[in-house]
């Protein structure tokens, strides 16, 4: 998963910009990215806010974009959909935020007014959804324009830690909503999480809100499994032997798990999930899939299971904020590396070489 | 779907039996069935009841057995898992039913005591589940032994109609639980039912408990679609042109349906469901599948949908009884043909040639 | 419940206004109301819309205000929180509605942005809630200013009937949300509705979305009970003999009802509800109460019941619109009298003398 | 709450019985109890089991009986509805338990077959419910007859601790079902528990399954509050000043709590709950009430709250067993005193003088 980078002659050290320009991490087609000058964003719609970024981070999805997997992303696009910052300017339709407010930026922009938003499905907002660093410029920059600011920003708690809070932009609500809520984790449940990457670990952390009795963590990487152990997994299964499903069935005396959470996004890991789900259980898909999978309906039609998919809605951000502030969730645990935003090219290398670097989330700070 | 039958020399008209023997419809391997003498069942366990059958019916699953699709069924097995009858004898552990009580026999036997039964998953009862006419002798006979009688029988309402009530043995709870409840049909929803056979029609009838705004019925057979119209479908789609999904998308202006209910059990019909489910929607699988399907996770991973499977639990039988008794559900509408039980060989022919005969449910009566 | 009215010398027939003034129904302290000139509303906030009223109606709450029961209402306040109209002007923050759009006005104004709105509790919106005709000027006028227009208006369906649609402003969502949803009415349930006034009848109409088996309607007025019969009640109980609870218990063979819905707002009717709720049942309070009630916890602590209260949130308006459009709900049935808006003084008399006039909802239309 | 005891001349030390008699704690009318000889129970119905008690405990309800508050309890009744024991004999209808099995006895007996049991409302079982030590002889004895054994006993986990497990007979499911589940405690919630007695503390322990952000514990006794602190309460409020509600409102900046759990059973503590519940919140009643309360509907009708009551159903016992076995719940923390069963008279004194003795649960063990 190493990401090739754009080799630009850099005649001087990267610097922060002034005036009407700014620095930003820009996508220039598959394999190409640069930290370069861009025009500062300006208010375009009544609901917009301009936010000066103080902390951001890199997501696995950014790597997918750089690999060219999401062709909808244009050359010239500023990447990034996670961040903490300070409101610099607001449009006339913004009522909940004011200049100077410190905010958490949600990866999903929500107009709050359309039918999907009213149903709590911000991910499918007719005027927003996941657009930051995808169809509009994102947060790996000095400034970002946030459309529908009232539905897309959250107040940064007075005494909070930016490193912890930036995990609320995407990874924590993703793990919680797509994995834990959709999987309906209950006290006493036996659950399995397939994939101990950052998102799988976010599932692991937030699943414990509901006191499952057993949490099996399945991954190919023993280092990540060791982290999972520290984060609360009760059994670790290295799937390198191709026998993960068998191990789970042995551990559960043939019953399988109440909830199987897929946090990778490939057919092989989905197959583990469908092989281990107990009668009456749930398969919650968190991973981003690029191919169809074979669903074994001839075995599952009478098993009374559910399979769910979900693009994170971030509707649980207020709840997650409360839990983080109560101290029951320590999201900063997910951070392994820290960089100045000016070193973002290096940060991408570190994040992209996760196995070698032992990286989970890398945090980028400004100023 | 014509079913070959066992050609036995019948020297006299079929008669009902006396003494310790009885007549029953017996499976003798793929394609072979006979109405023949069998020993009358006797109490074997404390929870057993012996029921004299007064009304029974034939299920599509019985045809599957006769085709040899369910090899677990032994030569010599009495078929049938639906019926109305009168309790003739009870074991010492039976407390809710007494000799002389008229009862509805559930297709699923529930011990009520195991972990699955306590969770309302009678279908996975550790001592029961679907066993009648499958792993133990069934209801297409003069008498049947019902294990776990207290969890497997329901009192027949004083003034009710046997023809209507026998639809509560299987088809109504199947359509309702697997299709309507799992599909979470809500007032105002747009739903599609793929398959207008008896089970799909049971879905149609019971979906209306929740006042959906639009019900699309999809089938290859215009006669069945016409019945669906009469039963409350708001749009009919003949899928013979292979364009069912496109028609649904046109009718919904590209939005798709809130609930897609699969009531056939083949990959093609499942494909229709995954092509038409709206973001945030549910696919409820009712059909019995013999093969895997291709699940388009690369398209569905971010659609916030759920897919459910279920073998009927019959836990809603008390609720269905109340609705039937209130007159809001007229299950006898599903009955197209009536036979004396002694004509069951002919009844199988009629039911097996559904397209030609225009048959939905055939009712068999004794005495 | 007759409402005294302000006797003004009226030298000419009431007329519609011109220019910057308009006619409106104005509250002038307990017992005093007038149809008089007021300044036309203007945009005050970015989220405002100005709506020209084409249809409105009178609510029981308006009578409460006129009796002086809600002292928060100031002298000079234009009454009314229900209406249909046409958008005349919008502020810069309004994105979902445009000049010329025909709209349904919700009785509850929702900013959609605050914590309560995000939880679907529009009734407790920190910037809105029930304010129209209460703390700001209302809809019984030629024009009204609607704050938070994107959350407080709904598109009027192209081919719909204004008389039917104005029932969606308040009475239908009130009956549905506070009574039916909070009461968790399910197929096969036995329910009782105490109070056959307009709101009780709205409960009755919308409860049928869920196919209850029996609906007992309880009221003192046989005429209203007769209407309830026509609307789908299965048993009528005149409570004049003080024996309503006993009648319900007799009809249910001592079991009581699954759901008891209080739609009056006085201790006596709440008492009926707590006397008739079955073990495991729900009491859903719809009525507006002015006094405490005695809750018989010494009898109810072990009955596994729930009691709910709710100010309507109007979050179900989109669902109700779909059901109305499907033809499964005919809200115009609730309309008994029609007036030109210029005859609103007379309309109040008719509505206020409900028993004598046989009035349910009175509809007011503008030229 | 000191309980007077029957002063019997005891000429010898209490002993365990032999043959067909046994020793038991017997109620002889208000204020009178004795540890005396009784006939050993025998199988009466097919579903019965006889259990030899190894561990039992005393409940606050036993004190209520001794005070004469539950006149339905007859002179001569053996008290007690909690216990651990070994199955000595089973009737022919018992299938899940066998002679020699170690079991947890549930305070609620469930036939599993009636309509209430099928709905999970074992508390209202038509043939059981709370009967042990109430309408039939109970567990404070050497032997007890358990009707409907398959629905009223749970397997004792192989390696478990009797002291911990006996908390599963009543107090833990009571706190969990009536308080936590009915209160719908969610991650991030702010909750208040009124009453830090054994049941209130059981609420406190089990509420943490769902990761509330703040737990206020309200009681008159600082010693109990100190225990609550140790058990996870985040704020302690001594209500002796009559200002508990005000303190809660101050701590929540006027918002009130998401869930208020009443665990005492008197009007004053219910009043605290209704004064502190936030809009949209829940009041879960756990206490046993002897008098009506005044419900402030004039203040609450528009607050969108729910109030629930419940006699424990014990349907969550399997879930609780899983959580206890996972180590996430340590119920033995509730045990403050231990006695041999032969010292039960003394144990009652200790338990009855809770404030002075600092007692929560007292455990009684047999040889």
């Amino acid at each position: 998963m190493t990401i090739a980078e754009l080799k630009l002659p850099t005649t001087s050290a990267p610097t922060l910009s002034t005036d009407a320009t700014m620095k930003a991490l820009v996508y220039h087609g598959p394999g190409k990215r640069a930290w370069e000058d861009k025009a500062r964003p300006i208010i375009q719609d009544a609901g917009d806010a301009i936010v000066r970024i103080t902390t951001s981070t890199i997501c696995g999805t950014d790597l997918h974009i750089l690999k060219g997997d999401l062709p909808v992303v244009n050359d010239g696009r500023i990447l990034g959909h996670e961040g903490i910052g300070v409101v610099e300017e607001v449009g006339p339709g913004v009522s909940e935020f004011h200049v100077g407010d410190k905010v958490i930026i949600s990866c999903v922009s929500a107009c709050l007014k359309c039918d999907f938003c009213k149903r709590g499905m911000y991910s499918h907002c007719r005027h927003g959804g996941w657009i930051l660093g995808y169809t509009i410029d994102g947060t790996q920059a000095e400034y970002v324009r946030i459309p529908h600011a009232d539905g897309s920003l959250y107040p940064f708690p007075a005494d909070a830690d930016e490193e912890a809070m930036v995990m609320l932009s995407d990874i924590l609500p993703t793990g919680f909503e797509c994995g834990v809520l959709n999987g309906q984790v209950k006290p006493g449940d036996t659950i399995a999480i397939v994939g101990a990457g950052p998102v799988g670990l976010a599932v692991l952390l937030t699943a414990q809100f509901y006191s499952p009795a057993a949490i099996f963590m399945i991954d190919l990487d023993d280092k990540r499994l060791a982290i999972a152990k520290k984060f609360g997994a009760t059994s670790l299964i290295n799937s390198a032997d191709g026998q993960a499903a068998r191990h789970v069935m042995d551990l559960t005396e043939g019953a399988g798990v109440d909830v199987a959470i897929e946090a990778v996004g490939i057919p092989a890991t989905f197959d583990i999930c469908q092989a281990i789900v107990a009668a009456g259980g749930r398969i919650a898909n968190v991973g981003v899939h690029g191919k169809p999978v074979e669903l074994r309906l001839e075995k599952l039609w009478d098993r009374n299971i559910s399979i769910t998919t979900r693009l994170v809605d971030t509707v649980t951000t207020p709840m997650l904020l409360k839990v983080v502030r109560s101290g029951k969730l320590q999201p900063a645990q997910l951070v392994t590396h820290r960089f100045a935003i000016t070193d973002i090219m290096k940060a991408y290398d570190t994040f992209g070489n996760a196995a070698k670097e032992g990286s989970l989330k890398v945090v980028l700070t400004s100023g």
Side-chain angles (χ1 to χ4, degrees), chain A:
Chain A
M1 262 212 290
T2 311
I3 301 298
E5 80 197 60
L6 182 65
K7 298 294 180 188
L8 283 179
T10 49
T11 56
S12 64
T15 55
L16 292 179
S17 61
T18 57
D19 302 315
T21 65
M22 65 170 184
K23 289 287 187 186
L25 193 284
V26 182
Y27 172 71
H28 287 296
K32 299 182 188 161
R33 57 178 154 81
W35 175 249
E36 65 188 22
D37 283 340
K38 291 284 281 186
R40 274 200 201 176
I42 54 170
I43 297 287
Q44 296 178 18
D45 288 303
D48 286 354
I50 304 298
V51 176
R52 177 171 53 81
I53 298 293
T54 54
T55 295
S56 63
T57 178
I58 308 173
C59 178
T61 308
D62 298 324
L63 302 183
H64 278 295
I65 293 172
L66 278 166
K67 284 170 68 181
D69 289 349
L70 290 89
V72 105
V73 182
N74 290 332
D75 182 345
R77 176 67 61 231
I78 300 174
L79 297 185
H81 49 264
E82 301 163 280
I84 305 295
V86 176
V87 174
E88 295 279 314
E89 197 182 349
V90 295
V94 177
S95 57
E96 305 298 294
F97 296 96
H98 305 92
V99 172
D101 286 352
K102 194 162 188 174
V103 292
I104 301 163
I105 300 167
S106 176
C107 63
V108 161
S109 302
C111 78
L112 302 178
K113 301 171 175 180
C114 72
D115 54 341
F116 280 115
C117 281
K118 285 184 175 175
R119 291 164 59 189
M121 280 180 65
Y122 299 172
S123 58
H124 289 71
C125 172
R126 294 195 185 272
H127 311 301
W130 175 39
I131 52 176
L132 280 182
Y134 181 50
T135 58
I136 68 170
D137 284 336
T139 58
Q140 291 167 2
E142 291 179 70
Y143 297 88
V144 66
R145 180 179 70 91
I146 301 295
H148 315 298
D150 284 331
S152 313
L153 299 175
Y154 292 87
F156 187 93
D159 51 351
D161 169 30
E162 293 202 16
E163 227 174 81
M165 287 296 134
V166 77
M167 299 298 126
L168 283 164
S169 284
D170 178 347
I171 193 166
L172 284 173
T174 294
F176 184 56
E177 295 179 7
C178 307
V180 178
L181 288 189
N182 274 17
Q184 300 170 47
V185 176
K186 293 189 310 296
D189 271 0
T190 294
I191 75 172
I193 303 167
V194 187
V199 174
L201 292 170
V203 173
L204 173 59
L205 290 174
T206 55
Q208 295 173 70
F209 295 176
Y210 295 99
S211 309
I215 308 177
F216 303 149
M217 201 79 192
I218 301 171
D219 200 286
L220 292 164
D221 180 339
D222 280 332
K223 278 187 290 188
R224 287 190 157 184
L225 289 174
I227 293 166
K229 179 84 179 173
K230 219 178 60 184
F231 284 12
T234 59
S235 299
L236 308 177
I237 297 170
N238 189 311
S239 50
D241 63 359
Q243 301 292 314
R246 194 174 57 72
H247 295 316
V248 171
M249 296 314 281
D250 287 350
L251 283 164
T252 57
E253 297 171 6
V257 297
D258 297 302
V259 189
I261 300 172
E262 204 285 336
V264 179
I266 57 171
T269 47
F270 184 83
D271 282 347
I272 292 174
C273 291
Q274 62 180 328
I276 64 176
V277 65
R282 285 83 62 196
I283 297 176
N285 192 78
V286 185
V288 176
H289 288 258
K291 296 184 203 163
V293 299
E294 187 184 61
L295 178 64
R296 307 295 299 274
L297 269 190
E298 85 285 7
K299 293 195 171 177
L300 295 172
W301 72 268
D302 65 352
R303 296 282 285 168
N304 300 36
I305 64 158
S306 75
I307 302 168
T308 57
T309 70
R310 186 166 181 175
L311 179 59
V312 64
D313 294 300
T314 69
V315 283
T316 61
T317 305
M319 175 192 277
L320 290 167
L321 267 167
K322 288 181 194 168
V323 185
V324 170
R325 297 194 68 192
S326 76
K328 289 187 194 303
L329 174 62
Q330 307 282 353
Q333 297 176 86
L334 291 163
V335 180
T336 53
H337 295 76
R338 288 152 190 92
F339 295 88
I341 183 69
T342 49
D343 287 326
I344 189 169
M345 296 297 282
K346 201 184 301 176
Y348 259 92
D349 293 340
T350 298
F351 184 64
N353 285 295
K356 181 177 149 229
E357 303 285 350
S359 56
L360 293 170
K361 291 297 277 187
V362 302
V363 161
L364 303 157
T365 50
S366 295

